Every structure is written in structure tokens, then in C-alpha cells.
Amino acid sequence: MTAAVEFLSVSRHFGPVKAVDGVDLTIAEGSFFAMLGPSGSGKTTCLRLISGFEKPTGGTIRIFGEDVSNTPPHLRNVNTVFQDYALFPHMNVRDNVAYGLMVKGMGRAQRHAKAEEMLALVKLDAYGDRKPAQLSGGQRQRVALARALVNEPRVLLLDEPLGALDLKLREAMQDELKALQKRLGLTFVFVTHDQHEALSMADSLAVFNEGKIAQIGTPQDIYDRPATRFVADFVGSSNVLPPDLTRALGGPAEWASLRPEATRLSATGPVSGPVKALRYLGSGTRVVIDAHGTEIAALVPAGQPVPAEGTTTAFAFEPSALHLMGTK
Amino acid sequence: MSSSPAILPAKGPADRLTALFWRHPRVLLAILLTPPLLWLGVVYLGSLAALLLQSFYSIDEFSGVVKEEFTLKTYAELLRPSNFDILLRTVLMAAAVTLACAALAFPIAYYAARYAKGHWKAAFYLGVMLPLWSSYLVKVYAWKLILAKEGIIGWAAEQTHTSWIIDGLLSIPGMEGSSLSTSPLGTFMVFVYIWLPYMILPMQASLERVPNSMLEASADLGASRGQTFRTVILPLALPGVIAGSIFTFSLTLGDYIIPQIIGNSANFIGMAVYQLQGTAGNIPLAAAFAVVPILIMLIYLAIARRMGAFDAL
Amino acid sequence: MKHLRLMGTTTLALMTGLSPVLAQVTEIGAPEGQVNIVAWPGYIERGETDKAFDWVTKFEAASGCKVNVKTANTSDEMVALMNEGGFDLVTASGDASLRLVAGDRVQPINIDLIPSWSTVDDRLKDAPWHTVDGVHYGVPYMWGPNVLMYNTEVFKEPPTSWNVVFEEMTLPDGQSNKGRVQAYDGPIHVADAAQYLMFHKPELGITSPYELNEDQYKAALDLLRQQRELTSRYWHDAFIQMDDFKNEGVVASGSWPFQVNLLKAEGLPIASTIPQEGATGWADTTMMHVDAANPNCAYLWMEHSLASNLQADLSVWFGANPSVPAACTDGRGMATAESCTANGLDDFEKIRFWTTPVSNCSQGEGACVPYYRWVSDYIGVIGGR
């Protein structure tokens, strides 16, 4: 498989701030790749390094094998869907979509036909004459998508593309984006801080922390086998167990992660503690137990009895659910 | 548990007044708007109407007394070659000044809006505003000295043996003068200097409102800098350019001080109005002259509107 | 009551059916305590600009009339202020005085109540810019010529003719006068051209530069168009003109003694002359408002304004000529025979004083070109038409 994007120990420093620090990364062609991390972790800077809005201060970036370190954005065959969509307010939807074709010198009739085609793809065929201000957030998002895709880029970059949408619309768009990517067979690289979004959409993802990649892999890998405490904590709201607690629970003296949904309450067990908080989630109840100073969350499915706050309870899990992360 | 009442007692007239405004929001609006509207309606529009009325009177050929009868004769007089010259000269000057201001202001405004940060931004505002704080007349007189034959520009040209440049400029037909200070070119330069801040500030404000992502999007879609400038920056900055040009254009149309001090004494609309309403007592012609800038501005605004200058407002 | 009140108000005149022309003050009563005067800047000094020049303080102490001055910069402003009312006196020039008379804004003066009237220059006593049908509408204040100011480094000898500003020629320093001369930026300058033609083209039959028929007027405009070619800028502000002589290389122009005196005082090589064609000039008159609220103080001021020491000091201060010739010689003020000569006192006969051109003139009813056309045509000339 060809690499669509390659980072070879790429850095981007802003003075003393190391926004991206020695990142190595390979994004396979045709994959749906997510960059996940809290704000300030370097994921957006990485995206901007691919589009060319940032220049690396060290290392090499290749797109389909070509070194793009000295290529300005407008000569890179990649397109971006911006977080705020960045639609041109003085042009109608059709002209917005046709913009990339216009600056390349395509004739008016031809580019308008292509734009309409692309609007049909994102189910906005009737909206060509409207101004961006007359569209809803979801519609603008689709226009931004169409505007980027009409240029037939080798890689499509999406910067928090669903961040501004409400929950329901976001879920619908997630499915649609995924379907679109499959249909077009394009490489999609998208940035998000929402772990659910990243896990549900990406073929593979990179978790960023403080300018470095903490872990890279498939969603399954990352969810089930977080490489570090940070990943475990950030990706899945996992229970992170310190070495002594792991040992108390029968494991080696290592850091470990334990999924709440793999944890159940039991009458007896090696470790018990008082119930500190209860949170009703609809599909179940999240029970937080104070286990020798470490908070352990367990998910009680709906229909099962829930202990009252303050009562002492023990907990249990399948030994295979405990994922060890080393001593550091 | 305390047992404070659900409704607090009014503390005084201010509380009661606020309550009144809350119950009847229109009362406050009326109180706020009536005085300025009265001022605008009576004083401003009233005098404008009086002006318009005067322009339809004429002056008696023999006695020089104003005849208060409706006629278009006075407007016809505007078309007399010597009067039409004044209109043409003023409009051309205003247009040239506006174009020059726009061309000079854009890079400055662009820099200030996109790149200047912190101290540099403060320095920019200070630099642009500072000339506005000193007296208009002082600036014009200072320019008279700068542009004079024996002024600093002439001196510098002589020292660097570049007087031929100035002489060349002053021999262009229509620009003739014994020095920059007595040439229409000098009038133009001073106009540009005096009105430039009025172009920079609205331009900068409108450029500041263009989000960075818009420019990145344009580059991302394959546009070169020039294409981005033409198709994104300029259209989005247009309201600011138009606002600035309304200032520079109308201020030049109406000014009568600068051409009196700098230039070859040829009349501009403002000077003609000043002279005609004075000793000549030819109020109708003065009024007709004064109506011209109003008409020109209305046409200008109509064109600007058609060009979509106000769409982004 | 010993004093009779002013009878000449318009209302009274209308009520009694009398023409206001006949109504005038017959006796000076007790001073009202103040007098309000519209004056040219520099005309009424109380020592605030320069301690040596004060002709108000002593008057106020002696008469009990406080002097309030409102300065006006143009004749039009003066006329406008007098039309508004609230003033007692105005120092009107010839291009305003007759308008004030025609508009009934000023009242006749009873010269019997002004003892110093007898000391007034005989040539000014019945001057047409304040005397209408034998009735006096004011007392003369100051007068001066519009001299030809020149640079003495260029002109070793004073120029003898106004042709240096009207005709293209090579000046004594070997360079053309093109771009080095100026002219006044007011339509009244048409009269200067007419006066030049009066001398050089007698066949036009001009008798007064302020009374021009169509042909004479056209010839004057043609001369002015020729002058436009020579003039890089016209002047209207005395200080701008002085600056142009200093920084713009201007070497000759019609001007006022005021500028000449100031430039000389700065040590610049400037002098003035009245060439063979003569010159135009201005003569100002203190006139009294028809509704003057303080007529007694007004009369006291008019009497004071003719005092030879005031006239002498003002003459030196303003670079003008006193209306009372004795001021130049009696030594009560700063003026001397020499200073008066410098200001043009001896050139009275050569001077034709500014007056507003009207269409009904000595050439007949409607025979002359009225002032409003001078205005629009002179605008055209300066604009290159």
C-alpha cells in the first residue's frame, strides 16, 4: 500500500513552544485517518503542515512520495474543510463550490456543471443560488465539503469538521462522511478532540499529546490496549490503576487500565470501598467507588440493582480486561 | 429562612423611571431619539430644503436682485463653460484624490489589519491619527512651505540634481505651475495627505473583519496571491473602500481651503459657492453649485450600491 | 429731560411716514455705558497685541463707554453682521458702505455733533462711498492705496508701470516675469485692469474703473486672461502673499502697504510704488446702525475716531493713511510726514477707491456691468476661460 502522507521526524516550533516535536507518521492511501488529542496537543498544526499553512522547522513531509517542504499551499493537491467552513460570503453556493476550478481557469459553464454535480453529491442540488448566510450549519458544512472535493484532491483534510454541529446532526454527518469516503476511495485526514468521533469513524488514528504522538493504531488497538496512561485516560474514560492497586487486585505491580463496562459490582472482592457518586446514563448507571484513594468506575446495566451512595461495595472483572501499561 | 418580599420597593425616582422604561420600551426610545431627530429634521433638512429652493430662483440681470420665481435658468448657468470647468475640475480632483488615497491606504491598512500586533498596532493607530489631531490649517500651511519653490522638496531636488523631475512634472499640460505649491499637482498631493486617514481607518476595519481562514481557504483551493486579492480580499474589503471613498470624495468635493492656499487659484465648487454667496449676492447660483456635490454623491452611492458595496453590511 | 432720543428708527419712520434718510440724531445725551463696533482686525486696538498701540482704554475712562469689538474678515461678513443687528458702528469699506446705505442698515450722521469733522481731509468729506444725495452716512476712518509691491533685488529702479504684472516681459534681472507675479484674488481686481486700460487704451473711453460698459468690460477681461498666463497663484490672504514673496520667488504684485511694511520690517528687499497709471485703493468709513442702541456712545466714539493721535497711531499700526491730515504732522501720535508718505498719503489723486459696481451708472440706466458678473467672470478667468 502506498503512503498518502509521510512525516519523517517533523517538528514545528514557535519560539520556545514545541507545537509539533519530532513526529513520525504514515497515513495509508485510501484510509480514513483521525488525529485525536486535547487542544494544544499539536494535531491541528500537523494538519496545517500537510496543507502547507505551516512550514516545518525540522524534518520532511511527503505527500505520495513527493517532498512538499517547499511547496506553497496553492500548489499542493490537497484540500481542506475548515473548522469555520470559511465559505466566501460574497459568492453564492455554486460559485463557492466552483472557486477552485475558477482559479485554475476552467470555463464558466463547465465549472458550474461540475459544481452542481458536487452539490448533488452532498444533497444540496437546489441551493446553488443561495448565499452562505442563508444556509444552516449542516448545509454550510456540506458546501465546504463539496468545495474541497470538486478539486479532486489526493488527500482531503478536515479540521474539526463536525465540531459546530448539534449532536443529532453530528451523528448523521459522521455516517455520511464515512460513506462518502468509502465511495470516493479518497484519503481523509481529520482532526478532532472528540474520542467517540475518532473511534467510530477512523480506520486508524493517532493520539497526540504535547506535540508528540502518544499512540498510533486502529480504534480497537487504542481503545483496548492504550499504550500510556494518557491514552487510556483520554480515549475511553478508563479506570487507570496505579501499580499498588493493580497488585492488590491480583496483577503485577504495573500501571493498568480497566474499562468501566468490563467492571461489575460484587459482594466480595480483594478491594472494596464506599460508593462516591452515581450517574444515571439511560443505558445503565455509572457507579464510582473510592478504592483506596483511586476512583474506580463501574457500569451497572439497566435493570440491575444500584447501590445507594455511601454504601461499601467491592468490584470484579475478567482478568483479561486488565490492560497493563508498564511501570512508568 | 429569610422572608424578604418577592417585589422589592422602589428606591427612588430612578428606580421608578427604569420600571417605566421596562414596561414601555418605546418611551425610552422616543426620549432618546426625539432631540436628534428634531435637530436633523428641522435644522439640517430644513436648511437643505431652503438651499434647494434658492437654487430654483434666479438673479436679475440688471439690478442683481434675487427674483423669487421658479426657474431652471440658474441650473442652466452651471453649464456655462467657466462654471462647468469648475464642476469638472472639482469632480476630477475628487476622483483622482480618492483613487490615490485608496491605492496608498490599502497596503497600510492591510499591514495593520493582518500583521501589526501589540505595540506596532498602537504605533499604527498613532501614526494614522496623529495628523488628525493637529489643526487642518496648520497642516495646509506647512505643506505650502514644503512644496514652495524654495521649500524643502525644491531644495532637496536641487541638491540631488533631480530638479528636472519636478520641472518635468510641472510641464505636463494641466499641471503647470512655477512650483509644486502653485500647481494643481500640489493641490492634489495636499488633498491626498489630508484625507488619507479617512480612507485608511474604514479600510483597516473592513480588512480586519476578513477571517484568516478565508484567505487560507482561497490558497487551499489553488488561488495565487493575486487571485486571492482580486476575488476574496477586495470584494470583502469593498464596503470599507467605499466608506473611505465616500469620505475622501465628498470631503474633496466640498473643500474650499486647500485650493485657496495651494494651487493656481483656479476655483473649486466650494470656493465658487463661497464667492458667489458673498459680495456677489448671487445666492441662487451659489445654491445651484452647492446642490451639485449632493447629486454627485447620490449618483456615487447608487453606483456603489449596484456594485454590491453594501451587501456585506 | 435735556436730551432727545434717537428718532431715526425704522419703525418710527414708518409710523410717521418719514423717510429714514431725514431722521438723525440732533443732540448727544448721556452716554449709555457701552458701544458695539464691527471692525476690521487691527482697527481698534486696546494695547493687547502691542502695548504701544492703544486708543481705547483712555476713551473708555473719559467717556464712560465700554468698547466692545467684533472683528470681521470680509466686507460680506460686515454686511451680514449689520443685517443681524445688535451693533452700533461698523468700519465699512467702499464695497460695503453703499450696500449698507441702500439696504437702510445705517443712518445719516449729524456732522454738527462731531466737532472734529472740520479736521477731516477735505477730499474725503463728501466722498461718494459715504455721501448719498449730499447726506453723510459716516465719518471717514482710514484709507490706503493698492500699491505695486516689488523685490528691490530684481528691480533696482522702482517699476514705472503696472505692465510688469499685466504683460509678459523680461524683468531687469534678465528673466521673464512669467510665474513670478501675482494678482489679487477678488473680482474687484477687474478695476485694476480697467485702470491700466484707461491709461494705455484711451480709445475705450473708460472714465471710471468701477463703471464699465460691455465693451470696456470685455477689454478688461481680455487683459486679465493675459495676466492669468503670468500668474502662478492669486492672493487673497496678506500672510500667504508675504510667504509667496519669501518662498515662491514672487517679485511683483499689487499689494497693501500693510504687507510692504511687515516685509520691510523683516529686513527683506521689498519696496512699493504707485506706477504712472495710478492705483486703486480702499477707504473705510465708520457708519452707524439705523437701530443703534447706544447712539450717544456711538457719537462719542466717532468724534474720538478722528482724534489726530488715534489716527496717527493707527496709520503706523495698519500701514494706512489717516483721514485727518494733521495726524501726520502735529506730533501727537507716532505718525510722521515720512511714514504717511510711505503709506501713500501724497498719492490720493492717483487713487480710485473701491466701490461696488452697479448696473445703473454714470453711463446710463443699466449701462454698466454689475458686480455679480464681475464675480462669475473673474472666477472664469482664474479658471483659465
Side-chain angles (χ1 to χ4, degrees):
Chain A
M1 215 194 296
T2 333
V5 180
E6 279 174 285
F7 275 37
L8 304 174
S9 61
V10 170
S11 294
R12 178 64 175 102
H13 297 177
F14 297 95
V17 180
K18 298 174 175 174
V20 173
D21 195 23
V23 164
D24 286 293
L25 176 67
T26 304
I27 299 172
E29 184 181 4
S31 68
F32 200 126
F33 191 87
M35 294 182 178
L36 176 67
S39 60
S41 62
K43 58 190 192 303
T44 300
T45 309
C46 272
L47 196 79
R48 293 169 63 80
L49 283 164
I50 302 173
S51 58
F53 299 128
E54 299 291 350
K55 276 194 221 164
T57 45
T60 307
I61 298 170
R62 293 203 190 118
I63 298 177
F64 287 95
E66 288 184 74
D67 186 347
V68 295
S69 302
N70 282 312
T71 311
H74 71 286
L75 299 179
R76 296 188 186 194
N77 198 3
V78 298
N79 286 114
T80 308
V81 174
F82 288 84
Q83 188 173 9
D84 64 354
Y85 314 138
L87 300 180
F88 304 125
H90 57 294
M91 299 179 192
N92 65 22
V93 166
R94 186 182 306 109
D95 285 332
N96 260 289
V97 174
Y99 185 82
L101 305 175
M102 182 194 76
V103 296
K104 287 184 189 81
M106 187 183 281
R108 192 184 170 79
Q110 202 185 347
R111 68 174 190 255
H112 277 180
K114 282 224 166 204
E116 288 295 348
E117 220 173 89
M118 205 45 73
L119 282 171
L121 186 72
V122 297
K123 304 190 191 88
L124 281 176
D125 3 12
Y127 291 82
D129 289 322
R130 298 218 189 162
K131 285 281 175 72
Q134 296 165 304
L135 302 181
S136 70
Q139 289 168 332
R140 283 183 219 179
Q141 215 269 332
R142 289 157 192 249
V143 175
L145 197 59
R147 186 176 68 172
L149 287 174
V150 79
N151 303 293
E152 298 170 4
R154 301 289 308 265
V155 180
L156 183 73
L157 309 174
L158 304 105
D159 186 5
E160 304 262 2
L162 309 175
L165 305 180
D166 59 53
L167 183 66
K168 213 171 155 72
L169 197 56
R170 191 152 67 214
E171 284 174 353
M173 277 308 291
Q174 284 177 3
D175 294 343
E176 240 176 87
L177 268 182
K178 186 74 189 154
L180 195 66
Q181 190 262 341
K182 277 229 170 72
R183 180 136 57 100
L184 297 171
L186 269 179
T187 311
F188 276 31
V189 179
F190 88 112
V191 157
T192 181
H193 62 268
D194 179 338
Q195 64 274 32
H196 298 298
E197 200 168 284
L199 292 172
S200 65
M201 291 172 76
D203 301 331
S204 59
L205 67 151
V207 183
F208 280 76
N209 186 31
E210 291 175 345
K212 291 179 161 48
I213 292 180
Q215 189 175 2
I216 191 161
T218 63
Q220 194 99 40
D221 280 344
I222 293 192
Y223 191 82
D224 290 342
R225 288 176 289 283
T228 66
R229 283 151 57 201
F230 170 79
V231 175
D233 195 40
F234 185 76
V235 172
S237 51
S238 268
N239 298 312
V240 177
L241 315 180
D244 50 343
L245 188 60
T246 313
R247 207 179 44 200
L249 287 165
E254 281 184 36
W255 288 91
S257 79
L258 181 62
R259 301 275 151 210
E261 56 272 28
T263 313
R264 59 178 193 280
L265 302 180
S266 63
T268 56
V271 176
S272 62
V275 174
K276 239 181 113 185
L278 293 172
R279 201 199 298 166
Y280 181 63
L281 299 172
S283 57
T285 304
R286 195 180 153 94
V287 180
V288 179
I289 304 156
D290 184 353
H292 307 316
T294 304
E295 288 184 357
I296 300 293
L299 199 67
V300 178
Q304 293 189 15
V306 174
E309 230 172 279
T311 53
T312 299
T313 180
F315 58 95
F317 49 88
E318 292 299 321
S320 65
L322 194 70
H323 170 66
L324 300 174
M325 298 184 293
T327 50
K328 275 186 282 186
Chain B
M1 282 287 240
S2 72
S3 57
S4 59
I7 296 176
L8 301 170
K11 284 193 297 290
D15 272 5
R16 275 189 286 275
L17 209 58
T18 305
L20 174 74
F21 292 151
W22 180 80
R23 278 180 223 116
H24 308 281
R26 275 157 196 279
V27 174
L28 179 63
L29 197 67
I31 289 173
L32 286 175
L33 276 184
T34 308
L37 277 182
L38 271 180
W39 169 261
L40 250 172
V42 178
V43 179
Y44 180 70
L45 291 179
S47 52
L48 208 62
L51 180 81
L52 203 65
L53 188 69
Q54 284 283 348
S55 68
F56 289 109
Y57 294 160
S58 67
I59 196 158
D60 186 272
E61 287 282 349
F62 292 106
S63 64
V65 174
V66 174
K67 281 194 294 192
E68 300 194 344
E69 286 166 28
F70 180 87
T71 172
L72 289 173
K73 203 180 110 202
T74 309
Y75 279 103
E77 236 177 277
L78 284 181
L79 299 176
R80 280 212 332 231
S82 64
N83 290 336
F84 195 71
D85 276 356
I86 296 174
L87 302 183
L88 203 63
R89 184 183 298 130
T90 311
V91 172
L92 283 178
M93 178 63 81
V97 167
T98 301
L99 287 176
C101 280
L104 280 178
F106 200 93
I108 301 173
Y110 191 80
Y111 168 78
R114 292 248 152 260
Y115 299 109
K117 298 254 152 50
H119 286 306
W120 285 110
K121 195 131 193 159
F124 159 80
Y125 277 113
L126 207 64
V128 173
M129 306 286 269
L130 202 62
L132 294 178
W133 299 345
S134 64
S135 154
Y136 167 90
L137 272 179
V138 168
K139 286 181 281 181
V140 178
Y141 279 112
W143 270 98
K144 181 176 185 296
L145 286 177
I146 292 169
L147 298 175
K149 194 179 209 133
E150 286 148 34
I152 186 153
I153 291 184
W155 175 82
E158 211 163 285
Q159 294 299 310
T160 54
H161 305 289
T162 46
S163 299
W164 55 272
I165 298 177
I166 294 176
D167 293 341
L169 286 174
L170 292 178
S171 62
I172 299 169
M175 300 287 150
E176 292 102 334
S178 56
S179 72
L180 283 173
S181 146
T182 62
S183 156
L185 198 60
T187 322
F188 166 78
M189 288 165 68
V190 177
F191 267 133
V192 170
Y193 168 80
I194 298 279
W195 304 142
L196 190 59
Y198 297 91
M199 182 65 98
I200 294 177
L201 293 176
M203 237 184 204
Q204 187 245 357
S206 74
L207 282 171
E208 214 143 73
R209 282 200 296 265
V210 180
N212 218 19
S213 64
M214 214 74 88
L215 307 187
E216 289 186 347
S218 178
D220 186 76
L221 294 166
S224 64
R225 293 247 165 172
Q227 284 172 320
T228 302
F229 177 80
R230 278 195 309 279
T231 56
V232 179
I233 299 176
L234 205 56
L236 289 177
L238 199 61
V241 179
I242 296 287
S245 72
I246 288 168
F247 283 125
T248 57
F249 195 75
S250 62
L251 286 169
T252 312
L253 274 188
D255 191 81
Y256 68 98
I257 308 275
I258 292 172
Q260 242 178 90
I261 297 173
I262 316 275
N264 63 2
S265 301
N267 266 250
F268 282 72
I269 289 176
M271 294 161 79
V273 171
Y274 183 74
Q275 291 198 30
L276 289 167
Q277 61 86 34
T279 330
N282 198 343
I283 303 272
L285 188 56
F289 261 115
V291 166
V292 173
I294 299 174
L295 286 179
I296 292 174
M297 282 318 293
L298 285 177
I299 296 169
Y300 186 81
L301 290 180
I303 294 173
R305 208 184 109 124
R306 185 161 286 196
M307 278 170 60
F310 307 119
D311 291 2
L313 289 186
Chain C
M1 284 290 219
K2 202 170 159 232
H3 64 274
L4 286 172
R5 298 291 300 177
L6 168 79
M7 293 165 66
T9 61
T10 343
T11 22
L12 194 58
L14 282 172
M15 274 157 59
T16 55
L18 284 171
S19 157
V21 167
L22 299 175
Q24 60 183 26
V25 177
T26 53
E27 203 172 347
I28 300 178
E32 297 86 351
Q34 62 167 350
V35 58
N36 301 309
I37 310 178
V38 178
W40 292 104
Y43 252 19
I44 295 179
E45 291 287 315
R46 53 166 75 244
E48 282 170 349
T49 322
D50 184 331
K51 269 203 169 65
F53 296 93
D54 176 7
W55 42 89
V56 173
T57 321
K58 279 185 189 157
F59 167 78
E60 286 180 338
S63 67
C65 299
K66 188 178 177 328
V67 177
N68 305 312
V69 178
K70 166 82 186 163
T71 59
N73 285 307
T74 64
S75 287
D76 305 316
E77 215 177 316
M78 287 192 170
V79 174
L81 287 170
M82 289 299 275
N83 284 341
E84 277 171 30
F87 296 99
D88 302 304
L89 296 170
V90 61
T91 61
S93 294
D95 54 343
S97 56
L98 288 182
R99 277 196 282 162
L100 290 168
V101 173
D104 288 339
R105 299 328 299 166
V106 291
Q107 58 173 294
I109 299 300
N110 186 347
I111 56 171
D112 297 338
L113 300 179
I114 301 171
S116 296
W117 178 266
S118 57
T119 65
V120 170
D121 196 325
D122 286 335
R123 301 169 298 188
L124 292 170
K125 276 181 178 158
D126 298 316
W129 52 89
H130 63 82
T131 313
V132 176
D133 300 330
V135 180
H136 299 295
Y137 284 89
V139 297
Y141 194 45
M142 279 283 129
W143 63 273
N146 298 321
V147 295
L148 176 59
M149 174 158 76
Y150 62 93
N151 185 314
T152 54
E153 282 173 1
V154 174
F155 296 94
K156 301 294 178 201
E157 297 293 318
T160 55
S161 167
W162 286 102
N163 63 2
V164 295
V165 297
F166 282 119
E167 321 263 357
E168 182 163 4
M169 62 167 62
T170 305
L171 297 181
D173 66 350
Q175 287 177 301
S176 166
N177 61 348
K178 200 168 177 185
R180 300 167 76 203
V181 298
Q182 280 190 337
Y184 186 57
D185 185 14
I188 206 75
H189 184 58
V190 175
D192 290 282
Q195 197 180 31
Y196 180 78
L197 292 173
M198 221 166 123
F199 185 89
H200 292 282
K201 289 203 173 150
E203 65 273 19
L204 285 168
I206 299 172
T207 53
S208 158
Y210 303 99
E211 298 184 339
L212 304 174
N213 64 31
E214 290 291 346
D215 291 339
Q216 297 161 343
Y217 180 70
K218 189 178 165 302
L221 287 186
D222 284 341
L223 181 62
L224 292 169
R225 287 186 186 109
Q226 184 178 316
Q227 185 183 46
R228 165 79 265 198
E229 301 295 314
L230 307 174
T231 312
S232 50
R233 175 159 49 222
Y234 291 73
W235 75 274
H236 68 282
D237 179 309
F239 288 91
I240 294 187
Q241 184 185 38
M242 286 160 55
D243 187 55
D244 284 342
F245 268 75
K246 281 188 265 183
N247 296 313
E248 283 292 348
V250 174
V251 297
S253 173
S255 186
W256 298 332
F258 178 71
Q259 286 98 298
V260 179
N261 290 346
L262 277 175
L263 286 172
K264 273 184 176 168
E266 288 183 37
L268 291 155
I270 296 295
S272 69
T273 180
I274 294 182
Q276 57 183 346
E277 296 92 349
T280 57
W282 42 270
D284 295 344
T285 309
T286 308
M287 302 179 111
M288 185 169 163
H289 198 277
V290 69
D291 297 325
N294 308 298
N296 299 322
C297 275
Y299 264 89
L300 290 171
W301 174 264
M302 284 192 279
E303 166 61 20
H304 173 68
S305 76
L306 295 176
S308 65
N309 55 344
L310 181 156
Q311 291 268 323
D313 290 356
L314 178 55
S315 153
V316 170
W317 172 248
F318 203 72
N321 289 307
S323 298
V324 176
C328 294
T329 50
D330 67 5
R332 289 184 61 213
M334 296 180 210
T336 60
E338 289 74 37
S339 75
C340 286
T341 303
N343 290 345
L345 182 74
D346 310 328
D347 302 309
F348 189 91
E349 300 306 330
K350 292 187 189 170
I351 294 167
R352 296 186 174 268
F353 290 97
W354 278 359
T355 174
T356 309
V358 290
S359 53
N360 299 332
C361 63
S362 61
Q363 300 198 41
E365 287 272 308
C368 288
V369 178
Y371 188 65
Y372 83 90
R373 275 188 54 202
W374 288 37
V375 176
S376 52
D377 289 333
Y378 195 56
I379 288 174
V381 168
I382 293 181
R385 282 276 167 187

